[in-house]
């Protein structure tokens, strides 16, 4: 279970509250985290004070600070985490067989991290677990910064197209 500390900036990933004006991507500041009820009290930037009930399906993640990225940053199009340590390089590219940890798709989904933080649409190349908490579709840069690697329980590379060993419907007799 992730513990949120007072003062940490968070972003709303999902809430099941039908009456709130908050939408995914909303940003706020943690006021307190009641670990017994797993409820996080948040002062949202739009003035809302809606608490997140994490055991009831609400989801938040540590916020990224787009302003922390400058032209001097090596990869300026990828946001920097707030109070988040650098990823362990050993987790980013574990050895996997070429056929393992891949999923063939007909269309690449957008990077969830870019979409949540800046409403930017960048094609994702990975689907995986993140250091931010939830699984996400991630572009290459976000996967390097936030992904937990490839393999079972970690993630998979998304490849546009049809799996080579499937052939066509005519080849398989499934006309």
């Amino acid at each position: 279970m992730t513990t949120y500390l007072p003062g940490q900036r968070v972003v709303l990933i999902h809430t099941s509250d039908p009456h709130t004006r908050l939408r995914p991507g909303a940003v706020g500041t943690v006021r307190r985290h009641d670990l017994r009820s797993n409820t996080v009290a948040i002062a949202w930037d739009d003035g809302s004070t809606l608490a997140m009930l994490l055991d009831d399906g609400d989801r938040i993640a540590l916020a990224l600070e787009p302003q922390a990225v400058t032209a001097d940053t090596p990869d300026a199009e990828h946001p920097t985490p707030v109070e988040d340590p650098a990823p362990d390089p050993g987790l980013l590219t574990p050895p996997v067989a070429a056929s393992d940890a891949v999923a063939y798709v007909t269309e690449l989904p957008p990077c969830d991290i870019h979409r949540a933080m800046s409403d930017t649409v960048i094609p994702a190349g990975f689907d995986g677990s993140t250091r931010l908490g939830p699984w996400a579709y991630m572009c290459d840069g976000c996967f390097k910064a936030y992904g937990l690697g490839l393999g079972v329980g970690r993630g998979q590379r998304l490849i546009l197209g049809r799996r080579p060993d499937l052939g066509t419907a005519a080849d398989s007799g499934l006309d």
Side-chain angles (χ1 to χ4, degrees), residues 105-142:
V105 296
T106 57
E107 180 179 322
L108 291 175
C111 172
D112 289 330
I113 295 171
H114 275 90
R115 191 176 48 163
M117 294 312 303
S118 63
D119 206 24
T120 304
V121 176
I122 295 177
F126 298 89
D127 174 28
S129 185
T130 71
R131 293 186 306 115
L132 302 173
W135 277 60
Y137 290 121
M138 294 172 274
C139 63
D140 290 349
C142 287

Side-chain angles (χ1 to χ4, degrees), residues 21-147:
R21 65 181 178 262
L22 292 172
R23 297 291 173 254
V27 179
T29 303
V30 173
R31 291 181 13 227
R32 73 179 167 279
H33 183 179
D34 181 337
L35 296 173
R36 278 183 272 159
S37 65
N38 207 14
T39 300
V40 182
I42 300 169
W44 297 98
D45 290 358
D46 73 352
S48 174
T49 57
L50 182 69
M52 293 288 103
L53 307 175
L54 302 181
D55 288 341
D56 290 338
D58 290 338
R59 293 186 318 179
I60 57 175
L62 290 177
L64 307 175
E65 273 188 3
Q67 63 271 25
V69 178
T70 67
D72 299 330
T73 305
D75 192 357
E77 72 179 41
H78 293 96
T80 302
V82 176
E83 298 179 30
D84 211 0
D88 178 350
L91 294 177
L92 296 179
T93 54
V96 293
S99 62
D100 292 344
V102 298
Y104 291 87
V105 296
T106 57
E107 180 179 322
L108 291 175
C111 172
D112 289 330
I113 295 171
H114 275 90
R115 191 176 48 163
M117 294 312 303
S118 63
D119 206 24
T120 304
V121 176
I122 295 177
F126 298 89
D127 174 28
S129 185
T130 71
R131 293 186 306 115
L132 302 173
W135 277 60
Y137 290 121
M138 294 172 274
C139 63
D140 290 349
C142 287
F143 180 75
K144 288 176 187 169
Y146 306 109

